[in-house]
């Protein structure tokens, strides 16, 4: 259970007025699920670097996998604001839980839905939506992270199949995945997406150990040693780097909402603690320095909520540009990590303990500020959009 009463979760600018009854119902049901399923076991999972048993099936059961995918393929056919709200509620619990839903929804279901054949959609999407199978997304490589266009993973046309070689690194859910959407170059250096299934000879998924962040999530490699991939597993309707990058638009959008949840959890914890904890004979919330921090947290959370709400409207009308999404991802993750770091201090020594969620969020957000494009890469995307001048290379 959360340390603070759930009715202290802020809506300072009455954003609820902008939400439909359906949005509010979705928020309540995901919030209830996070309270009953995630909160009781998340500290144990993170402390011991274990994944949460049955997490993906549970996420499927509450409709958190592919919420905006049409119902005929197993999704819920919801709008983008609903997707954002779900991500926010999940990440109030833990970034690992949001990550699991993000990857499955935006990085596995989205490319199959958007670029897959009808057979691929029917074969994979319903099972991904229920969590009966787990997907991973392979773009980053040991030598190419921010610059995925230089990827080395490649495949050759062998007549009746493709032969895939290379390796992907830092892949969420790699050790657990049943399938992976893998981005690789053909003989002409053109990027394509391939669906690789566990059990294909030469495909292995070693786990990455010793992480200090996202400890309730499994991360690993995808290694391809002469893997024979059937030709029908190539995503037929996309080629070029814009394929994987367009998936990132959807996932980055979800992160922009998600991290508001982490920030809210830190803010509410700090508010509750500082009202209870007494020093110098008074609650520490009565000191101006603590109030300054709380006031700034709420201001930043409110600004982030407004950014996401309007970005959701743009997404709903298919008019959100990649640069607008980069701005929200960059701003909101920085907002959340700053609140996590500051609120941890407000709890003094207790702030480092697993009894409270703040240290876990702070550690998780170090990954969130790095994956899906680092903080600085998103700044350069904004810089390019403003000036028209590419400062990447
Ligand atoms: P550039 O030449 O700019 O672009 C190549 C082609 O792609 C198009 N494009 C996009 N299309 C859709 N959406 C976007 N966001 C797009 N960005 C670019 C572009 O128009 C072009 O199309 P065309 O038709 O002209 O070919 O590419 P570049 O090589 O200069 O690189 C640009 C850069 C650095 C911005 C990009 O590569 C980048 O975003 N780098 C960051 C890498 C990244 O975000 N990796 C994420 C890996 S996945 C992950 O972290 C999952 S974490 C999951 C979790 O647990 O939640
Ligand atoms: P690098 O690209 O080596 O960057 C190192 C530093 O250099 C950064 O600070 C960066 O901002 C800076 N830098 C790089 N280029 C420039 C430049 N042109 N100008 C200025 N500064 C620059 N990837 C996937 O494909 N699938 C996943 O599921 C996935 N899950 C992940 C889960 C976790 C927990 C983590 C940590 C990462 C995950 N990633 C995944 C990888 C993630 O997207 C990359 O780590 C990220 O894109 C950065 O790449 P890199 O780590 O190689 O850093």
């Amino acid at each position: 259970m959360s340390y603070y009463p759930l009715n202290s979760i802020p809506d300072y600018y009455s954003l609820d007025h902008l939400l439909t009854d359906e949005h509010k119902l979705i928020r309540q049901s995901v919030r209830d699920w996070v309270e009953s399923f995630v909160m009781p076991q998340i500290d144990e999972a993170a402390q011991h670097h274990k994944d949460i048993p049955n997490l993906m099936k549970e996420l499927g059961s509450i409709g958190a996998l592919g919420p905006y995918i049409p119902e005929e393929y197993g999704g819920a056919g919801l709008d983008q604001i609903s997707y954002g709200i779900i991500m926010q509620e999940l990440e109030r619990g833990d970034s690992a839980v949001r990550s699991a839903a993000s990857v499955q929804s935006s990085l596995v279901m989205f490319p199959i839905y958007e670029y897959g054949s009808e057979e691929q959609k029917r074969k994979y999407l319903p099972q991904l939506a229920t969590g009966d199978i787990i997907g991973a997304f392979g773009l980053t490589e040991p030598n190419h992270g921010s610059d995925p266009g230089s990827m080395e993973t490649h495949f050759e046309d062998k007549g009746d199949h493709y032969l895939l070689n290379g390796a992907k690194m830092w892949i969420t859910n790699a050790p657990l995945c049943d399938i992976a959407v893998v981005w690789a170059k053909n003989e002409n250096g053109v990027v394509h997406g391939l669906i690789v299934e566990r059990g294909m000879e030469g495909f292995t998924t070693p786990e990455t150990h010793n992480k200090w962040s996202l400890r309730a999530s499994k991360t690993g490699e995808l290694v391809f040693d002469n893997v024979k991939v059937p030709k029908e597993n190539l995503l037929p309707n996309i080629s070029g780097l814009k394929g994987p990058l367009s998936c990132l638009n959807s996932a980055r959008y979800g992160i922009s909402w998600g991290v508001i949840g982490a920030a809210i959890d830190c803010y509410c914890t700090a508010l509750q603690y500082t009202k209870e904890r007494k020093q110098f004979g008074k609650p520490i919330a009565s000191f101006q320095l603590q109030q300054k921090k709380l006031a700034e947290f709420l201001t930043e959370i409110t600004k982030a909520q407004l950014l996401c709400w309007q970005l959701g409207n743009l997404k709903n009308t298919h008019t959100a540009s990649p640069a607008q999404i980069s701005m929200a991802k960059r701003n909101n993750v920085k907002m959340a990590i700053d609140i996590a770091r500051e609120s941890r201090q407000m709890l003094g020594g207790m702030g480092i303990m697993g009894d409270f969620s703040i240290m876990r969020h702070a550690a998780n957000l170090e990954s969130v500020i790095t994956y899906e494009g680092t903080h600085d890469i998103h700044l350069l995307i904004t810089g390019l959009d403003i000036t028209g001048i590419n400062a990447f290379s």
Side-chain angles (χ1 to χ4, degrees):
M1 261 191 42
S2 295
Y3 162 64
Y4 47 86
L6 292 184
N7 62 13
S8 67
I9 291 178
D11 175 24
Y12 202 65
Y13 260 45
S14 303
L15 279 167
D16 271 11
H17 293 319
L18 301 170
L19 303 180
T20 63
D21 287 344
E22 187 181 46
H23 291 143
K24 287 184 249 185
L25 201 63
I26 290 166
R27 184 177 61 194
Q28 192 58 52
S29 68
V30 180
R31 191 170 286 175
D32 290 345
W33 176 81
V34 166
E35 283 300 297
S36 64
F37 184 77
V38 177
M39 295 308 196
Q41 55 181 328
I42 187 60
D43 180 61
E44 163 82 8
Q47 295 271 4
H48 299 285
H49 208 166
K50 297 189 301 202
D51 53 318
I52 299 175
N54 224 22
L55 175 64
M56 208 58 97
K57 284 194 180 169
E58 282 282 332
L59 286 168
S61 75
I62 59 161
L65 303 178
Y68 54 81
I69 299 290
E71 287 173 274
E72 66 169 308
Y73 297 112
L78 298 173
D79 73 345
Q80 290 291 330
I81 293 197
S82 303
Y83 176 53
I85 289 170
I86 293 170
M87 296 299 117
Q88 174 187 290
E89 291 306 315
L90 296 180
E91 200 149 357
R92 194 179 65 83
D94 195 82
S95 301
V97 179
R98 195 268 310 136
S99 249
S102 288
V103 170
Q104 187 95 339
S105 303
S106 289
L107 298 181
V108 181
M109 295 178 75
F110 174 85
I112 294 175
Y113 172 68
E114 206 64 30
Y115 307 127
S117 65
E118 193 55 32
E119 294 70 36
Q120 290 167 346
K121 291 186 210 181
R122 303 244 168 245
K123 179 174 178 189
Y124 298 111
L125 290 177
Q127 295 185 77
L128 287 162
T130 53
D132 283 326
I133 61 171
I134 296 178
F137 175 86
L139 180 63
T140 307
E141 300 189 350
N143 296 326
H144 310 285
S146 298
D147 176 22
S150 300
M151 69 176 69
E152 295 164 49
T153 301
H154 61 280
F155 63 97
E156 295 164 73
D157 189 335
K158 292 292 185 186
D160 62 341
H161 64 270
Y162 297 118
L163 197 64
L164 179 65
N165 277 289
K168 300 290 177 180
M169 193 179 177
W170 297 116
I171 307 303
T172 298
N173 277 343
L176 306 173
C177 74
D178 300 290
I179 65 167
V181 172
V182 176
W183 300 93
K185 286 182 177 167
N186 68 9
E187 292 96 331
N188 301 319
V190 179
V191 173
H192 283 275
L194 297 160
I195 303 170
V196 180
E197 297 188 12
R198 184 170 294 284
M200 287 180 178
E201 209 179 324
F203 174 41
T204 50
T205 60
E207 183 172 349
T208 302
H209 295 286
N210 292 331
K211 289 183 298 165
W212 282 109
S213 174
L214 279 185
R215 286 173 60 82
S217 168
K218 293 278 179 209
T219 310
E221 295 167 54
L222 304 172
V223 182
F224 316 104
D225 179 10
N226 285 319
V227 180
K228 286 182 180 175
V229 181
K231 285 201 151 172
E232 64 264 24
N233 282 29
L234 182 122
L235 297 177
N237 301 320
I238 190 70
S239 65
L241 194 57
K242 62 179 177 296
L245 293 180
S246 64
C247 305
L248 298 182
N249 293 335
S250 179
R252 290 167 177 172
Y253 165 73
I255 289 173
S256 308
W257 278 90
V259 292
I260 295 173
I264 284 174
D265 197 47
C266 294
Y267 163 80
C268 290
T269 301
L271 177 59
Q272 182 75 13
Y273 186 87
T274 55
K275 286 198 290 190
E276 286 173 3
R277 172 76 175 166
K278 287 192 176 138
Q279 289 294 289
F280 301 96
K282 288 198 256 178
I284 56 175
S286 63
F287 300 121
Q288 287 181 352
L289 284 174
Q290 302 284 3
Q291 290 191 6
K292 176 175 186 286
K293 290 182 207 284
L294 291 166
E296 287 176 351
F297 294 170
L298 187 55
T299 307
E300 292 308 316
I301 288 168
T302 304
K303 282 153 66 178
Q305 285 174 323
L306 286 162
L307 202 59
C308 272
W309 183 77
Q310 176 58 0
L311 188 61
N313 288 326
L314 295 174
K315 283 280 284 172
N316 275 339
T317 52
H318 306 285
T319 54
S321 72
Q324 286 171 325
I325 295 168
S326 281
M327 183 183 279
K329 194 270 184 183
R330 180 173 185 275
N331 181 77
N332 288 10
V333 179
K334 183 68 164 56
M335 171 283 295
I337 203 168
D338 286 348
I339 289 178
R341 287 167 179 164
E342 279 287 304
S343 58
R344 197 221 55 75
Q345 293 192 56
M346 294 171 75
L347 270 67
M350 289 309 288
I352 71 161
M353 298 301 291
D355 310 47
F356 296 94
S357 52
I358 296 179
M359 189 74 193
R360 179 166 48 75
H361 283 305
N364 285 341
L365 289 162
E366 294 291 343
S367 287
V368 183
I369 204 165
T370 300
Y371 67 35
E372 302 272 4
T374 66
H375 190 63
D376 286 345
I377 288 295
H378 287 294
L379 176 123
L380 295 178
I381 292 173
T382 308
L384 168 60
D385 199 46
I386 295 168
T387 64
I389 302 167
N390 182 342
F392 291 109
S393 47

